[in-house]
Amino acid sequence: WDEPLIFELSRAGRVGYTLPKPIEDVEVEIPEKLRRKSPLDLPELSEPEVVRHYTRLSEMNYGVDSGIYPLGSCTMKYNPKINEEMANHPGVAYVHPYQDERTVQGALKVMWELEQWLKEITGMDRFTLQPAAGANGEFTGVSIIRAYHIDRGDTERTEMLVPDSAHGTNPASAAMAGFKVVEIPSNENGTVDLEALESAVSERTAGLMLTNPNTLGIFEDEILEIARIVHEAGGLLYYDGANLNGILGKVRPGDMGFDVVHLNLHKTFSTPHGGGGPGSGPVGVKDFLKDYLPVPLVGYDEENDRYYLDYDVPKSIGKVKELYGNFAVMVRALTYLKVMGADGLREASEVAVLNANYIAKKLKGTKGYELPHKELRKHEVVFSAEPMKRETGVKALDVAKRLLDFGLHAPTIYFPLIVHEALMIEPTETVSREELDAYVEALRRISDEAYSNPEIVKAAPHNTAVRRVDDVIAAKRPIITWRMYRELGEKGDIDI
Amino acid sequence: WDEPLIFELSRAGRVGYTLPKPIEDVEVEIPEKLRRKSPLDLPELSEPEVVRHYTRLSEMNYGVDSGIYPLGSCTMKYNPKINEEMANHPGVAYVHPYQDERTVQGALKVMWELEQWLKEITGMDRFTLQPAAGANGEFTGVSIIRAYHIDRGDTERTEMLVPDSAHGTNPASAAMAGFKVVEIPSNENGTVDLEALESAVSERTAGLMLTNPNTLGIFEDEILEIARIVHEAGGLLYYDGANLNGILGKVRPGDMGFDVVHLNLHKTFSTPHGGGGPGSGPVGVKDFLKDYLPVPLVGYDEENDRYYLDYDVPKSIGKVKELYGNFAVMVRALTYLKVMGADGLREASEVAVLNANYIAKKLKGTKGYELPHKELRKHEVVFSAEPMKRETGVKALDVAKRLLDFGLHAPTIYFPLIVHEALMIEPTETVSREELDAYVEALRRISDEAYSNPEIVKAAPHNTAVRRVDDVIAAKRPIITWRMYRELGEKGDIDI
Amino acid sequence: MGKHYIPNSADREEMLKEMGLSSIEELFSDVPKGMVKEFNLPEGKSEYEVFLELNEVLSKNRTVLEMPSFLGAGTYFHYVPAHVRYLIERSEFLTAYTPYQPEISQGMLQALFEYQSLIAELVGLPIVNSSMYDWGTAMAEAALMSARVTKRNKFVVPRHLSPEKRRILGTYTTGPGLEVVEVPWNERGQMDLEKLKEAVEGAAGVYVEVPNFFGLLEEDVREIGEIAHEAGALFVVGVDPTILGIVEAPGELGADVVVGEAAYFGNPMNFGGPRAGIFATRNDRKLVRQMPGRIIGMTRTADGERAFVMTLQTREQHIRRAKATSNICSNEALVAVAAAIHLATLGPKGLRELGETVLKNTAYLKKRLSEIAEVPFEGVNFKDVLLRFEKPYGKIHEALLERNIHGGYYVGEHFPELGESALFAATETTKKEWIDALVEALKEVA
Amino acid sequence: MGKHYIPNSADREEMLKEMGLSSIEELFSDVPKGMVKEFNLPEGKSEYEVFLELNEVLSKNRTVLEMPSFLGAGTYFHYVPAHVRYLIERSEFLTAYTPYQPEISQGMLQALFEYQSLIAELVGLPIVNSSMYDWGTAMAEAALMSARVTKRNKFVVPRHLSPEKRRILGTYTTGPGLEVVEVPWNERGQMDLEKLKEAVEGAAGVYVEVPNFFGLLEEDVREIGEIAHEAGALFVVGVDPTILGIVEAPGELGADVVVGEAAYFGNPMNFGGPRAGIFATRNDRKLVRQMPGRIIGMTRTADGERAFVMTLQTREQHIRRAKATSNICSNEALVAVAAAIHLATLGPKGLRELGETVLKNTAYLKKRLSEIAEVPFEGVNFKDVLLRFEKPYGKIHEALLERNIHGGYYVGEHFPELGESALFAATETTKKEWIDALVEALKEVA
């Protein structure tokens, strides 16, 4: 399990590539000022060595196909393989984005069809598929809100309201778009505190960014009231789609009063997360905002059965990403939608919610874990290990690490910030009851250990490829690249 | 690492499949006598569960991409990924073998081109690509020899000569084709004993089956003399291509006097072994035998630039396999050949031979291992652990198991039969010098252990997914299927 | 080129030096003078160039996705769920060899044990090997096995056997000198039992198929088995396993040996190969000892844990050599694993539904085709339907091709008594529009 | 449909019972009445039907394999070696998420560390993040970063910037209120240094590209950097990394920040996405603290062994929230890993050879095209070549399409001063026959 760095496997003279010969073997001179003179310390390996190296690295990694992966708010559902098959189609891989429209009707149709699905699922009127990820979508959405207000001459709306339970990307995206972020506290039910909201809104309010179900997995049951308050104050309502899997196919953000939504195709719509991307974060808006969407949009000329790129978006915010977004991810999501259909999507959210509540029910009452706020959850449930920490010194982090010893992936921990020692569990609909039972069983066993032999939990993990990884030293003396490592080594200033 | 059987993972009601609806929902009655009444105990799982099960099983398996795999006579070379890409082309997968010739010109061209490569590489005049594997090719080849003699009225040639160092498939194939097998001993150099051969040939001799380099990795340097003896006796010379990698691109069986050859596309031509297949075992013959080849052959009408299936083979032995053979394997081999070219093929055999001799040189002299016969090898080298067994009780089997502990695949053991406690090592050209060094180092360390602490070797492996597997009990009380296991379980007659 | 696959290309000189050699040629000094040659072959190309070239060549094939096709006759367009291919392409499966070292090959061993187990459930026999090359060679090996078991030398088959299988049987039975006797079909297109009774005397084995070459269900399987057994012959049943959700397991109908095509599950057509032959038999020592092929068994480790291993190897060529039950070594392991994954995905409900869907689609095809041409045989069809035209079929075929439809498989060549007949096939992949378009086209041209 | 992905579809009732519930609806009792609805969407289809349908749709796209294409302008047809795709499709990489649990994510962490390391060697800067969305957003983030570092609010760019990037920059700089100033090109099609000197005062950053939008090597990179630094601005260089085997590392030419497109290695065009933005900077605390994106660092385990982990996270949104350096969370990890695998395969020799091959092919393209149309700028081109036609380019384009050739990217729309100009591009994948056919066609139609 101790795989060297690819640089350390290098041997001078080895070759792993083939290239076609140049068309003509003429000498083309790079201007002297630009010619590369600095050394190029890239590794030299043959193809079999490269393949073996990355095969071994992959074997040192846990994915959804390895087992349950209940990272809260990440919706780590199974990634159907037919999605991959379609995304690998030559009609995806070998197509240039600037091709003449007549030669990319298939690609444009995929985008157009995907938009129709997303519109109906969310209750929105128009979508851009350009954003590359959720946060990129948030930035798009709040930029649209900004443009809308300014366009109407409403230039003093500089505040974006964000609940204290929100994802960090919400305030960060609002800030990037130039807003001042105002935090709204949660009430004892874990939902938005309406009084606080009332007192926060003003003529400076540009909007409210909300996740529903929220990051506690709790449905904001006063959503219509929330929408009224924000709208009456002149603000718009922004929907963070990270948790859409809790209501997919049953309830629509558009029907709750949201004006802008972003979705995560890599969460809700089963495209793989790839170790942190590529994702895709389409943004949908109500009709009155569609003129602000990024360019281009995809249009359909029904009469001539022709799809086209529409750059004619009068008040467009511009672009948030090159070209049309992560097209290969869109192909995956559309494949999933067509296989699932209305019935499948509804089933997905129902069982996702069932699974989360099943865990809540089964784990509740286990010593050391506490279930704050109301009991009924949607797609995820957040426990607090605060009692355990208090009584045994075992922290949420330790619980997470100990889970790894049982071959299980840990939940999201220490988020949302409003729950101390948070364990945020989102099983999704694609795990089996036996896997849920095994997960609860492991958490119970860890509770037993914490109260009988806490050291075993605190020193976890014991059975993983590597022992607990020190992130403090990593930040204190950063080694980010082979180049830095090599230089430290040359100075004799290294102990790793 | 303890993955249940798929049957044990089954839960009633789970569904992993989707099927299109029937065109018309009419009732079609299966005749009462044929209607299924017996239960169908197949597992019920969802797709994610199936994927996780087989992903975990795969992780319990060692392949060429995991590391060195020096199984002698198996030529476990790296399988280039471009081969897979081409074999997955829709023009391969979605093509029916009975399609009109005009709609499969691409497929026929692939077969025709592959044949041209194989002809030049072996020095033969015509090939059939039909055989599914090496043994299937051998059966084809010896059937051709049989048909040839009988066709000429030479009906008493009932004996096939096979050296004592031959693969088991050689005598088995000869027997299947109705021959009596006569074994020819090896001399002290590990090559065919010419005197024994002289005295074995007669008017009953149908032919001699030979591997060159032979299974000791030794080149039969008197091959021309051998050919003369067999031919003068009226027999034909059959070339087993299992070891072609030792002379690939440098020396041709056709130039050595062979009349029939079979090749193994999955060995010499880099198609993956798939855990034991699919392979492909084309058979090439000299011109005077081409009328005996299986039908159909692939023809090329140069004038009209048209490829066709040729069933007009007057004295054909018939068919040895359905349709045209393992086409998807042929696509892989042709891809490899085009990338390698004459220069690459030559390089492959040169480095394969270099690597084998490097191991021979480095390991020779290590206590407990003996290098019988002459030192110069081709693609593989066979050591004997006889001294080790005699002196410490550690057998070749134990050495093999101990190698697994170091994350290395064992060599072929106990073959060829003429070497006691044989360790048959074929590194191939696709491993690095560091891997060779590590292999030799591991074998040396095992020698040290055998002489200092033999128990550790005898009890190996210690670090693998499972401990040493008992094959005696497996054969004594065979449990071949879930059905047998379940029945034994119901009788309470089971301890596994 | 080629060097990118060969790490030590770069290390040749150093290694030679270390070995006390001065050139690679010294390593080939045992080859007779003049035998080492330059070959008349092109030099290597870059991967991109080869990709471009072969992509162009393979794109010349017209696929069944581009052109509705009604070909069957032993090869069928079934859909392979994407996860099946994805899983068998994992390098630990794909690039492994025969699991000679069980301690690091448990994954492949268990997968093959599961394949054997799944097939056992389908065919109703407990002993299954881990694959033959294909249905045809499995059948031929069953013929040889029946001769070994009974020490007789006649094998009885239906005359309505695919030309592929008939030819293979011919080749395989030549060496051991087995006589192959054909039993004609009756007016229902099924084996004529009276003629069988005449042929069976002294037979080593009797072979019948479900469905038969005409796509018809042979209704008298059990009776045929009884006739075989009465005559002291083994009863060998060939079966398309995709039917076994709705048709009784041959083991329950008296089969001693069942053969068939496993690649109908989990594997694309691949222009005919690879595929994988099913071979199953009763748990009878006499039969098991004589069966061909590799077998995976369950056992335990030194620690007493469950494990899997190749077993009953004393039948095989690497041990028994000239006396082996077969010469088979490399088989079709990965094809079998793909079939197992597909079967595990279908489960009992899926297998039944698959069978019913194929049955219904075939019925629709037959119904519509009967508007155009003669259907010589009544009865229930599965996949294939025999159709007899008045005009020469070759011309009809040509006209269909012009309309971008690939017609059926012409059988008149092999069975002249059937005249201008062809087999048209449907499976679960066949779309209504395709059949309707076919019928419309046939109305114009047939 | 859909149930085949959902194991507990079959267990719903039992689970509800165990939980003391009688229906799923109780789990949605917190949703306001009437809000739960039936949607106007089709029911699910079988995998086969979806495969067939999408295969047909996607097959309508004309690929560059079927039709020689000379499009570039920021997206290029490079060949991706087959093993790259094969490796990133291994499910342990493909289906993992952000490596929050380093103990079971060392594979992805090390792969990303290697990506960072390989890019560092190319660009000549030691600090590299593990990817931005693409070159364009990386550049925009560099603009924002330069404003944070310098506390200024002007960003200087060449006028000859791709429309894609120019628009992204516009959107990203709106919120923080950054002014974007364009410097015109000179007669050589490169940034006009005199004009730059006028524009640079008070600038937070200056941006230049190698090669530039016209495919030309900007020769004065070092001088531009000096001008920027003299004015107290950060120097940001955008680079096509495939050139860095033959062109000096921007870090060596004075760049404080380097951005570029990593997906040119190891990733197909995918109709424009996904791709992955390179973001690198000097090892200067002031810069590192302000840089966006995720960073993997080397560390050690409790046992003192080497390991990898996400580091310097206090810059990131999940910790710093509204004060984060960027909102980026999901990035393009797998795209970066693919790029790393390709780069590791190329090595130093391959990267140089790739650069030289592209250079020579571009030279051939330029030479041949100059027979037909005006080449407005001399200098050395890499991939793109600007060509100015006398006739309206639209008509020429049309005529080429009719001849199954896809012409270049029309720039007249965005740069009216260039008239009927278009960018034609070549890479290592461009065949001589394609260029010759293009020239022949242009002779007829241009």
Side-chain angles (χ1 to χ4, degrees), chain D residues 174-376:
Chain D
T174 301
L178 248 68
E179 181 195 2
V180 178
V181 176
E182 293 179 355
V183 178
W185 63 79
N186 61 19
E187 71 292 346
R188 292 178 301 147
Q190 302 183 22
M191 190 183 259
D192 186 317
L193 296 196
E194 293 312 311
K195 296 279 165 51
L196 170 63
K197 284 174 191 162
E198 292 165 22
V200 78
E201 204 197 315
V206 173
Y207 179 71
V208 73
E209 282 180 354
V210 185
N212 68 26
F213 182 61
F214 301 146
L216 294 160
L217 302 192
E218 289 271 356
E219 290 176 49
D220 305 324
V221 175
R222 192 183 293 275
E223 289 79 356
I224 294 166
E226 283 162 5
I227 292 166
H229 285 154
E230 249 166 65
L234 289 192
F235 183 37
V236 182
V237 176
V239 69
D240 174 342
T242 62
I243 207 173
L244 289 176
I246 52 177
V247 154
E248 185 56 279
E252 299 289 330
L253 297 172
D256 300 298
V257 176
V258 174
V259 295
E261 182 52 63
Y264 294 163
F265 296 113
N267 290 273
M269 294 187 292
N270 284 333
F271 197 51
R275 25 184 68 182
I278 291 170
F279 199 104
T281 188
R282 288 191 286 110
N283 189 5
D284 173 333
R285 276 188 74 85
K286 206 173 58 182
L287 298 178
V288 176
R289 245 191 340 223
Q290 291 298 341
M291 84 183 281
R294 186 159 295 144
I295 296 174
I296 311 302
M298 188 190 282
T299 185
R300 60 183 175 216
T301 67
D303 285 349
E305 280 180 25
R306 187 163 79 183
F308 302 90
V309 70
M310 294 197 290
T311 192
L312 303 174
Q313 297 188 61
T314 51
R315 302 163 298 108
E316 290 189 69
Q317 47 75 28
H318 60 287
I319 300 198
R320 189 60 58 89
R321 301 179 74 85
K323 297 204 171 64
T325 56
S326 166
N327 69 338
I328 193 169
C329 177
S330 280
N331 46 60
E332 309 293 329
L334 200 66
V335 178
V337 172
I341 298 173
H342 193 183
L343 263 169
T345 303
L346 284 168
K349 195 158 159 279
L351 188 68
R352 262 192 304 271
E353 196 175 318
L354 173 64
E356 277 160 13
T357 303
V358 172
L359 202 64
K360 288 171 184 173
N361 288 357
T362 310
Y364 182 77
L365 177 73
K366 190 173 185 176
K367 183 179 80 177
R368 295 302 317 273
L369 287 179
S370 71
E371 298 170 14
I372 312 283
E374 184 198 342
V375 175

Side-chain angles (χ1 to χ4, degrees), chain B residues 17 38 88 338 347 495, chain C residues 9 18 53 89 248 300 353:
Chain B
Y17 71 94
S38 62
N88 283 329
K338 284 177 181 283
E347 175 97 28
D495 54 356
Chain C
S9 265
E18 205 174 321
E53 181 187 328
E89 282 192 355
E248 186 55 281
R300 60 185 176 216
E353 196 175 317

Side-chain angles (χ1 to χ4, degrees), chain D residues 24 103 107 173 337 407 410:
Chain D
I24 286 281
E103 294 83 1
T173 52
V337 172
Y410 180 57

